[in-house]
């Protein structure tokens, strides 16, 4: 795209897109962890358009002043061509807050590299963000009418000037116009009118091409497409998934990174009063075909949410579908024709904890006597810290010892009751760990002069999310919009994965 086209498109897209609605409604990125020696929280507010400006808030824990810098790294640009880092400066409104913004110029996977320099040493972290346009508003009618009116005036004015210039400019003042001059002016004006029509048609064609390309990269909701069906074989219900058939075409292998050792993380969430939920890990059976043996979830309608991270761009995404599960097959014992992932988990949370009371503890009680306590939090509001701090107590009321579950102390899923928002949370943040590894490998590979894609690190990230023995954890998150939400929190203790459910109403 040429520079002028680019800027024109940019201005128009700014007019079009003002409302942030991400792929499944939760675009902002939250990080909680260590940046070198400094514990820090980072919030990245991702723009709804491309190019757009991301706002980055860094809150390091330090009683000494620090130098904080931020840098956008694009997945397909080599490090040596990336721009110089921008400083994140102390914000006057809050002590200890460093704030900056960055332009995300292209569509695709970015990492925001946050660097901290201070007395205690230096630290750097990669936080992956998706740079995708998430919304397109229609052109307002009044703006269309005003623009057409202005264009009409411009054309008519132009024609009048051309006609006068061709017909009258060579005449001395106060001379009457004869027919030859009049004809000259008319011919010039007619010629100019055709020129104007031609350029308007050309402009319209260019605009349509531009808009088609914008729409191709637009992700208003879940992406890519997902087709799901269930069949029963060997006493098992098998969920059969096809990811991105429409998006990528029939003969395409979807390039995926493993996240916590799995290609896909699938959440099955019961609809219409069915309080069953499952966190499963389908197995690849073909280029974009996946299957998973279903646990004994009751018959009914379910929503499916599948998280994935693409290995070519480091983009992470969530795709969604609905499914009706037939009854659990009876009479035959499963022949185990499809391996069941030992990290698959499911639960039926018949009595969710309603956690709307501000400044009070909300408890979810498990059948085995265990409790998950959500510590007191202020009234929940959209785009404010959700205060997701938890503690696990055993049947005797003592702090329980947590074990890592797929490398993390906790996995959680948030869904707005209408399914319009879905996010997958961890103590380290709500970004894709696989995408983070992708950028860490890229930076390490290019710094050492090696290949960028070799040695893809898929370590289990034990250094993140406080995988030390503890009974408490925090999930950094802000609910993106008002509404009724369900929150499922998973943790592992005594070798057993537990799933708690909290229901909350988030105020605007
Ligand atoms: Cu997880």
């Amino acid at each position: 795209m040429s520079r002028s086209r680019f800027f024109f498109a940019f201005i128009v897209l700014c007019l079009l897109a003002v409302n942030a609605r991400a792929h499944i409604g939760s675009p902002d990125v939250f990080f909680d962890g260590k940046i070198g020696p400094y514990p820090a929280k980072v919030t990245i507010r991702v723009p709804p358009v491309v190019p757009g400006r991301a706002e980055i808030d860094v809150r390091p824990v330090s009683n000494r002043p620090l130098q904080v810098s931020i840098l956008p790294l694009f997945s397909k640009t080599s490090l040596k061509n990336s721009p110089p880092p921008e400083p994140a400066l102390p914000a006057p409104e809050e002590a200890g807050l460093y704030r900056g913004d960055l332009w995300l110029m292209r569509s695709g996977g970015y990492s925001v590299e946050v660097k901290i320099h201070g007395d205690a040493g230096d630290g750097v972290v990669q936080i992956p963000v998706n740079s995708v346009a998430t919304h397109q508003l229609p052109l307002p009618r009044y703006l269309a009418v005003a623009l057409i009116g202005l264009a009409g005036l411009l054309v008519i004015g132009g024609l009048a000037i051309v006609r006068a210039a061709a017909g009258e400019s060579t005449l001395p003042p106060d001379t009457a116009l004869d027919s030859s001059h009049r004809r000259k002016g008319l011919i010039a004006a007619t010629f100019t009118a055709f020129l104007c029509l031609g350029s308007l048609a050309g402009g319209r064609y260019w605009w349509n091409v531009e808009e088609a390309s914008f729409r191709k990269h637009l992700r208003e909701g879940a992406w890519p497409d997902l087709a799901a069906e269930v069949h029963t074989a060997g006493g098992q219900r098998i969920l059969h998934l096809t990811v991105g058939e429409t998006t990528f075409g029939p003969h395409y292998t979807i390039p995926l990174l493993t996240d916590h050792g799995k290609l896909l993380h699938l959440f099955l969430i019961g609809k219409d009063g069915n309080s069953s939920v499952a966190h499963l890990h389908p197995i690849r059976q073909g280029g974009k075909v996946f299957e998973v043996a279903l646990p004994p979830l009751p018959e009914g309608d379910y929503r499916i949410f599948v998280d994935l991270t693409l290995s070519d761009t480091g983009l992470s995404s969530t795709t969604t579908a609905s499914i009706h599960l037939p009854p659990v097959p009876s009479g035959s014992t499963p022949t185990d024709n499809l391996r069941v992932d030992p990290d698959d988990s499911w639960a039926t949370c018949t009595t969710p904890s309603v956690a709307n009371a501000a400044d009070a503890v909300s408890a979810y009680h498990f059948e085995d006597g265990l409790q998950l306590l959500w510590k007191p939090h202020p009234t929940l509001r959209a785009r404010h810290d959700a205060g997701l701090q938890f503690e696990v107590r055993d049947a005797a009321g003592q702090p329980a010892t947590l074990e890592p579950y797929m490398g993390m102390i906790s996995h959680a899923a948030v869904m707005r009751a209408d399914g319009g928002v879905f996010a997958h949370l961890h103590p380290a943040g709500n970004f894709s760990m696989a995408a983070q590894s992708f950028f860490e490998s890229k930076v390490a590979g290019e710094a050492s002069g090696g290949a960028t894609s070799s040695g893809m690190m898929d370590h289990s990230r034990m250094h993140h999310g406080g995988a030390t023995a503890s009974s408490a954890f925090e999930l950094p998150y802000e609910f993106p919009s008002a509404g009724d939400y369900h929150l499922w929190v998973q943790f592992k203790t005594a070798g057993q994965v537990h799933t708690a459910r909290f229901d909350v109403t988030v105020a605007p």
Side-chain angles (χ1 to χ4, degrees):
M1 200 191 292
S2 80
R3 194 154 281 256
S4 57
R5 273 176 62 182
F6 173 81
F7 275 107
F8 186 71
F10 162 66
I11 285 163
V12 173
L13 293 181
C14 282
L15 290 172
L16 288 177
V18 292
N19 186 12
R21 270 302 141 91
H23 70 278
I24 328 228
S26 192
D28 293 344
V29 177
F30 307 96
F31 165 91
D32 188 355
K34 284 196 123 182
I35 305 180
Y38 312 98
K41 289 188 179 187
V42 180
T43 300
I44 302 173
R45 301 201 186 280
V46 181
V49 286
V50 183
R53 227 153 60 156
E55 292 169 20
I56 293 118
D57 283 358
V58 185
R59 291 180 173 85
V61 178
S62 167
N63 40 26
R64 303 291 300 273
L66 301 170
Q67 281 173 335
V68 180
S69 69
I70 47 180
L71 170 68
L73 298 176
F74 186 61
S75 57
K76 297 199 168 156
T77 304
S78 75
L79 286 186
K80 59 179 194 295
N81 294 332
S82 57
E86 302 262 345
L89 300 171
E93 65 266 36
E94 183 187 323
L97 166 63
Y98 295 80
R99 180 169 274 173
D101 48 47
L102 293 173
W103 279 97
L104 305 184
M105 301 303 287
R106 298 173 66 181
S107 280
Y110 269 89
S111 176
V112 171
E113 183 179 89
V114 179
K115 269 188 179 159
I116 299 184
H117 171 79
D119 290 346
D122 294 347
V124 61
V125 73
Q126 302 294 336
I127 306 174
V129 298
N130 289 335
S131 175
V132 284
T134 54
H135 210 67
Q136 181 181 21
L137 286 178
L139 188 66
R141 220 186 150 70
Y142 70 89
L143 197 59
V145 169
L147 287 175
I148 288 171
L150 286 172
L153 270 178
L154 211 64
V155 169
I156 291 165
L159 292 181
I161 290 169
V162 168
R163 181 171 165 273
E168 302 170 27
S169 61
T170 52
L171 287 178
D174 299 327
T175 317
L177 216 57
D178 66 22
S179 62
S180 86
H181 281 109
R182 202 164 279 151
R183 199 174 336 111
K184 243 167 133 183
L186 268 176
I187 289 169
T190 311
F191 182 73
T192 311
F194 277 111
L195 216 65
C196 283
L197 275 176
S199 56
L200 282 174
R204 181 184 157 80
Y205 172 77
W206 166 79
W207 173 254
N208 287 342
V209 169
E210 209 58 59
E211 194 193 347
S213 132
F214 172 78
R215 291 203 62 85
K216 217 177 98 194
H217 292 105
L218 183 66
R219 304 230 187 116
E220 281 176 302
W223 183 92
D225 56 293
L226 175 68
E229 58 191 40
V230 186
H231 61 263
T232 305
Q236 273 182 321
R237 290 178 302 177
I238 309 286
L239 180 60
H240 181 93
L241 303 165
T242 310
V243 182
E245 178 91 32
T246 309
T247 309
F248 299 118
H251 310 291
Y252 185 82
T253 294
I254 182 166
L256 293 176
L257 287 175
T258 57
D259 198 357
H260 309 305
K262 322 286 180 191
L263 288 174
L264 301 180
H265 288 259
L266 180 150
F267 284 87
L268 262 176
I269 297 172
K271 277 187 187 172
D272 310 322
N274 172 356
S275 55
S276 292
V277 60
H279 179 178
L280 310 174
H281 307 94
I283 296 160
R284 199 199 280 263
Q285 306 287 24
K288 49 188 168 318
V289 176
F290 297 81
E291 286 190 335
V292 62
L294 289 174
L297 296 168
E299 179 187 8
D301 289 325
Y302 289 79
R303 292 183 208 274
I304 302 174
F305 295 96
V306 181
D307 286 341
L308 54 93
T309 303
L310 297 174
S311 61
D312 52 350
T313 55
L315 266 179
S316 59
S317 190
T318 303
T319 171
T320 187
S322 286
I323 190 86
H324 180 83
L325 297 191
V328 181
S330 60
S332 58
T333 42
T335 51
D336 222 2
N337 54 346
L338 191 62
R339 186 174 61 83
V340 176
D341 191 307
D343 286 324
D344 285 0
S345 60
W346 60 95
T348 299
C349 308
T350 40
T351 44
S353 171
V354 179
N356 285 325
D359 305 315
V361 175
S362 314
Y364 182 87
H365 299 272
F366 295 94
E367 280 171 14
D368 57 5
L370 225 62
Q371 290 180 61
L372 180 66
L373 307 180
W374 181 355
K375 293 181 186 172
H377 56 80
T379 303
L380 296 175
R381 292 180 56 201
R383 290 166 66 84
H384 283 70
D385 182 12
L388 300 177
Q389 296 183 17
F390 297 93
E391 188 173 4
V392 184
R393 296 278 177 86
D394 64 16
Q398 294 304 308
T401 305
L402 300 182
E403 297 151 15
Y405 171 43
M406 288 184 279
M408 308 297 296
I409 275 304
S410 176
H411 295 252
V414 169
M415 188 188 80
R416 203 170 63 198
D418 63 0
V421 171
F422 178 83
H424 183 160
L425 318 179
H426 302 117
N430 65 337
F431 51 88
S432 157
M433 306 274 149
Q436 189 184 43
S437 291
F438 171 93
F439 283 102
E440 284 172 350
S441 301
K442 175 179 164 69
V443 169
E446 291 187 33
S448 67
T452 58
S453 59
S454 69
M456 201 66 79
M457 287 185 269
D458 186 36
H459 38 86
S460 55
R461 316 226 127 257
M462 299 295 279
H463 59 290
H464 274 303
T468 47
S470 161
S471 63
F473 56 90
E474 179 177 355
L475 302 165
Y477 191 62
E478 293 175 5
F479 293 98
S481 52
D484 292 331
Y485 283 82
H486 307 307
L487 168 72
W488 292 269
V489 182
Q490 297 194 293
F491 60 89
K492 194 171 177 178
T493 181
Q496 206 65 42
V497 175
H498 287 70
T499 305
R501 175 173 148 186
F502 295 90
D503 287 358
V504 292
T505 302
V506 176

